[in-house]
Amino acid sequence: MPRTSPPSVPASPTASASSPREAPFAVIVQAADAVAATTSRTAKIGLLADVLGRVGVAEIEPAIGFLTASVRQGRLGVGWRTIADLAEGAAVPADQASLTVTEVDAAIERLAALGGTGSAAARTEELTRLWGRATADEQRLLTGILLGELRIGALEGVLTDAVAKAAGRPLEEVRRAAMLTGSLGRTAYLALTGADLARVGLTVGVPLLPMLAATASSPGEAVTALGPAPVSVEVKLDGARIQVHRHGGPGSRVEVFSRTLADITARVPELVEVVSGFPGGSLILDGETLTLDEDGAPRPFQETMSRFGSTGARAEILRPWFFDILHADGVDLIDQPLSVRRKRLREAVGEHGILALETADPIAAETFSQEALAAGHEGVLVKALDSPYAAGRRGRQWLKVKPVHTYDLVVLAAEWGSGRRTGWLSNLHLGARDPVVPVGEPGAFVMVGKTFKGLTDEVLRWQTTRLLEVETKRTRYAVHVTPALVVEIAIDGVQRSSRYPGGLALRFARVKGYREDKAVADADTIEALRALLR
């Protein structure tokens, strides 16, 4: 994620200014162990607030990244195999802790900068140096940090509370700032150095967390739930979420970010070209992109994601459709009602706006939904016209309606295939998220079924390689994995079953595609599946 210069630090900053210039990395290790050892949210908040008060000003952002296993440098190209090779090699743990938070952050910075010919050897060399200076406990924590799989229950929600506590700031003020900056680390820096969080607004070039939708069983139900006032009924594309920032008028620099706030500008030159030509000044737009076939119909999601993730020349062209505008011409719009934002959106993007109907009639909404489905789209989104843009939240003012039951589940294990699929991991063990258990802790995902349907040879090859990278243990028939991959599953429904811990089983489950744009924390809950039993 791009980093911007923070507001000026006051002359008398709070807690962190009196901390050591460079805090020992062991401080983070000790805090992580203590947080993992307690199930009390209050205790976790207190422990995390304490460690935030012990690191230096320049170490606040790295410390937040370490504690969430989401380093500020982004993806590092380090997988399980690389870590396993270190464990099997000559990287003997150090007897005494000597690493500092700053030194670990600098090593990760160097890893992130590696690329091109010879980068694999350079990466191994850098990691070997780091591992050689780390104690056994530090090596263990570094493994979780680098693989993005730290299991201590320090979710961003808990850390947000800890930041507020450490800084002595109102929690809602910290939450809003985190949403607007798209970075809890940046927000923690601002809060702990005494910056005025009320002045934090949108910054073009700094992505913010997207607003999310709840679900409804039908368009008519959604209209009734949000009525009696008219609502916006919008086509729901089966594409990839994008957030696009333009730094000025036509021809100005354009940046494109994914749902997870990764910078994908270099991969989508056609989207950059479209937005570069829009009238007006600076822009922040929320939308979707997908590829179309020769007749103008949407291609399957997997094909869009394949093109979406490619950096090479491809024949498929991505097309953007925008459904919201968050900033225009120097003015933030997220607190304005959707009705106002839609008017500004039409002025900004013209024909690239999403097809929508404003109505209070449930029957009209049903008809619009059927037309969207007939055109090959996924369904509709029904939105309250008086709703602000609640960045990073899933509220009841946006309701998505899909006629086919599709759920985002997490792969827990996979069985080796037989016959034509021999040598490939095939039958997937699927889990739904337990909303009561923090992601990263045991029991966070509840197994609800298996499927091998819908997997092409290409996907089988890919998933075999990817699942082996996150393997945790192996039995005679299956490879168990860290919950790291989200897969979209279509089902005809669920049925009660004592076979799986969740008390239900999926009916006629088939794979629609992997959702690499989603984190496991975004997976659907077991309660969402249980609702189908009612």
Side-chain angles (χ1 to χ4, degrees):
M1 182 187 307
R3 299 191 292 276
T4 58
S5 300
S8 57
V9 179
S12 301
T14 58
S16 297
S18 59
S19 302
R21 183 163 187 171
E22 288 190 13
F25 184 61
V27 168
I28 305 295
V29 177
Q30 293 160 5
D33 288 343
V35 169
T38 179
T39 58
S40 166
R41 181 183 177 91
T42 300
K44 289 179 188 289
I45 291 169
L47 290 163
L48 293 168
D50 178 68
V51 76
L52 289 175
R54 297 172 65 188
V55 301
V57 168
E59 296 169 324
I60 295 171
E61 286 192 70
I64 292 288
F66 296 161
L67 290 166
T68 56
S70 180
V71 295
R72 63 194 183 95
Q73 292 85 354
R75 301 185 70 172
L76 304 174
V78 177
W80 270 105
R81 183 57 57 197
T82 304
I83 300 297
D85 289 344
L86 283 172
E88 296 170 1
V92 178
D95 293 329
Q96 294 184 335
S98 64
L99 285 169
T100 67
V101 170
T102 298
E103 287 172 331
V104 173
D105 182 58
I108 292 174
E109 190 79 36
R110 290 191 292 270
L111 285 171
L114 293 173
T117 304
S119 61
R123 187 175 295 113
T124 299
E125 183 179 351
E126 183 67 50
L127 284 170
T128 300
R129 280 197 299 268
L130 180 61
W131 245 244
R133 290 193 58 198
T135 65
D137 288 341
E138 288 173 336
Q139 288 181 359
R140 172 175 48 79
L141 186 67
L142 283 169
T143 297
I145 291 170
L146 296 179
L147 297 179
E149 297 163 4
L150 198 59
R151 298 185 178 187
I152 64 172
L155 299 175
E156 283 213 358
V158 177
L159 259 173
T160 303
D161 284 20
V163 170
K165 180 179 176 67
R169 301 296 189 90
L171 178 57
E172 281 307 312
E173 184 179 78
V174 174
R175 282 178 176 167
R176 179 176 174 82
M179 290 176 188
L180 294 177
T181 62
S183 168
L184 181 57
R186 173 58 57 184
T187 300
Y189 175 90
L190 297 174
L192 287 164
T193 54
D196 183 2
L197 296 185
R199 294 176 56 195
V200 175
L202 295 181
T203 300
V204 177
V206 178
L208 70 158
L209 299 171
M211 184 171 177
L212 305 173
T215 58
S217 61
S218 71
E221 175 191 281
V223 170
T224 301
L226 296 176
V231 297
S232 176
V233 185
E234 303 174 3
V235 170
K236 188 178 190 311
L237 304 178
D238 192 14
R241 188 88 174 253
I242 52 172
Q243 189 178 125
V244 185
H245 294 229
R246 191 176 74 180
H247 290 256
S252 299
R253 181 162 61 99
V254 173
E255 295 175 284
V256 186
F257 302 93
S258 71
R259 177 191 175 97
T260 58
L261 310 189
D263 187 338
I264 57 167
T265 307
R267 306 179 193 172
V268 290
E270 61 267 66
L271 303 186
V272 171
E273 182 179 0
V274 168
V275 176
S276 178
F278 287 159
S282 58
L283 295 169
I284 301 179
L285 303 167
D286 192 3
E288 296 254 344
T289 184
L290 73 164
T291 58
L292 305 178
D293 63 19
E294 295 79 2
D295 298 322
R299 291 183 181 273
F301 175 79
Q302 298 95 309
E303 294 187 28
T304 291
M305 287 306 296
S306 174
R307 171 61 186 85
F308 192 61
S310 173
T311 56
R314 297 292 296 270
E316 299 88 348
I317 300 297
L318 289 170
R319 309 292 177 86
W321 281 267
F322 297 102
F323 50 74
D324 220 321
I325 185 167
L326 316 183
H327 174 95
D329 299 324
V331 178
D332 292 346
L333 301 172
I334 59 173
D335 293 324
Q336 294 293 321
L338 178 61
S339 56
V340 172
R341 302 200 308 274
R342 280 181 52 80
K343 181 176 183 297
R344 294 297 299 272
L345 180 70
R346 287 192 293 269
E347 295 169 353
V349 306
E351 63 180 12
H352 289 282
I354 202 75
L355 184 63
L357 170 71
E358 292 187 10
T359 183
D361 183 359
I363 296 177
E366 294 281 359
T367 300
F368 183 85
S369 176
Q370 292 302 316
E371 292 171 350
L373 293 171
H377 299 299
E378 192 176 25
V380 294
L381 277 162
V382 181
K383 302 177 181 178
L385 284 169
D386 62 353
S387 61
Y389 190 92
R393 296 196 179 182
R394 188 186 302 277
R396 298 294 302 178
Q397 292 186 303
W398 285 15
L399 299 173
K400 60 183 176 182
V401 183
K402 298 180 183 180
V404 176
H405 300 299
T406 61
Y407 291 89
D408 295 321
L409 303 178
V410 174
V411 179
L412 305 179
E415 297 171 8
W416 290 107
S418 58
R420 189 178 61 82
R421 296 187 175 191
T422 298
W424 289 338
L425 287 172
S426 176
N427 202 18
L428 300 175
H429 296 202
L430 302 168
R433 182 167 55 85
D434 185 335
V436 177
V437 182
V439 172
E441 296 191 355
F445 298 97
V446 183
M447 187 171 176
V448 291
K450 303 179 183 181
T451 189
F452 56 84
K453 296 180 179 178
L455 296 168
T456 64
D457 289 354
E458 181 181 0
V459 173
L460 284 165
R461 283 190 291 270
W462 178 87
Q463 79 177 17
T464 299
T465 300
R466 187 69 180 88
L467 292 174
L468 290 175
E469 291 176 350
V470 293
E471 177 182 355
T472 57
K473 68 176 182 179
R474 189 175 299 202
T475 62
R476 183 177 179 184
Y477 298 108
V479 171
H480 295 261
V481 300
T482 297
L485 297 179
V486 177
V487 62
E488 187 176 19
I489 301 293
I491 60 173
D492 286 359
V494 298
Q495 60 190 31
R496 298 184 190 280
S497 172
S498 59
R499 182 177 183 182
Y500 300 117
L504 57 83
L506 308 177
R507 297 183 66 246
F508 303 108
R510 58 270 191 197
V511 173
K512 286 198 69 181
Y514 278 89
R515 295 302 304 257
E516 292 187 276
D517 58 325
K518 291 192 176 183
V520 293
D522 295 327
D524 286 300
T525 66
I526 184 66
E527 295 303 326
L529 289 171
R530 286 175 180 156
L532 297 179
L533 294 171
R534 300 175 190 141

